[in-house]
Amino acid sequence: MLKKLIQGAAFLTALFLLVGCGASKKNHEQRLILQGIDSLKDPLVDVPEMKIQQGDLLTILVYSDSKEATEIFNQPQQGGGGGASGGGGGAIMASMGRGYQVDKRGEIYFHNIGLIKAEGLSKLQLAETIKEKLMKYLQSPYVTVRFTNARISVLGEVTKPGIIEMPDQKMSILDAIGFAGDLTPFSRRDNILLVREENGKRVYTRIDLQKAEVYKSPYFYLQQNDLVYVEPTRKKPTGSEQVLMRNIAIGTSIISVVTLLVTLITR
């Protein structure tokens, strides 16, 4: 009887180990991303420039040879907000020094210049536009434009879901996942949802991080206000399944201890 007990315990332990090794190998393969990247053809990809959108808040600084003449353009100015109908008079609202907000018509209001179309331009393009208009007021003007409120949301199966402030530079979907603490073991790497607003419409696309071709995707680099949602796998255990798995683990440990004790006693 004792011999059969030992044999049964040994069999169950070996079975659990065998199943665990097979599952671990499969899970490892599912967690890999950018598979086949070494054989990726044409790795050079044109990186799109971030474009200014409605609702963006911009920081605009002006420099020139005359500090006194420049100061007036760097004081807290009027930001666009809610449209520019009626000649722009009633549509101009104070930004309280926070920057220049792009209104619903895609415009900002700049001191002494008036309304400027900003939507669809890059930061450099808007800076050049303002610079040209300042030529009649300043000598050798120089303008810098930065995003003040650029952010993205990363939700779902990541370690730290939430809102991420975008740096004043390009951010890829891999960067965003890194800021969110990486993917959890129960995330789907082959079907990540990206929601983006383009020309006033929401665009939905799916991204497969397991394929190296993701580098060529126009959605690899994120835009301000993008939403990244990482779906859970079907294998993610529910609350009751987690309890069952914990009980199995405890049971396996008890069997191992009993087997060891029986082996020592019968020697």
Side-chain angles (χ1 to χ4, degrees), residues 159-180:
T159 304
K160 298 182 294 184
I163 296 175
I164 299 173
E165 298 290 338
M166 293 186 70
D168 199 39
Q169 58 190 14
K170 301 177 182 67
M171 176 185 284
S172 71
I173 189 170
L174 296 180
D175 294 329
I177 291 174
F179 278 114

Side-chain angles (χ1 to χ4, degrees), residues 24-35 183-187 189 210:
S24 297
K25 182 179 179 181
K26 187 175 182 180
N27 289 338
H28 172 70
E29 293 175 350
Q30 290 176 341
R31 292 178 189 178
L32 294 176
I33 63 173
L34 303 179
Q35 299 182 41
L183 302 170
T184 71
F186 300 106
S187 63
R189 287 147 169 79
Q210 291 187 324

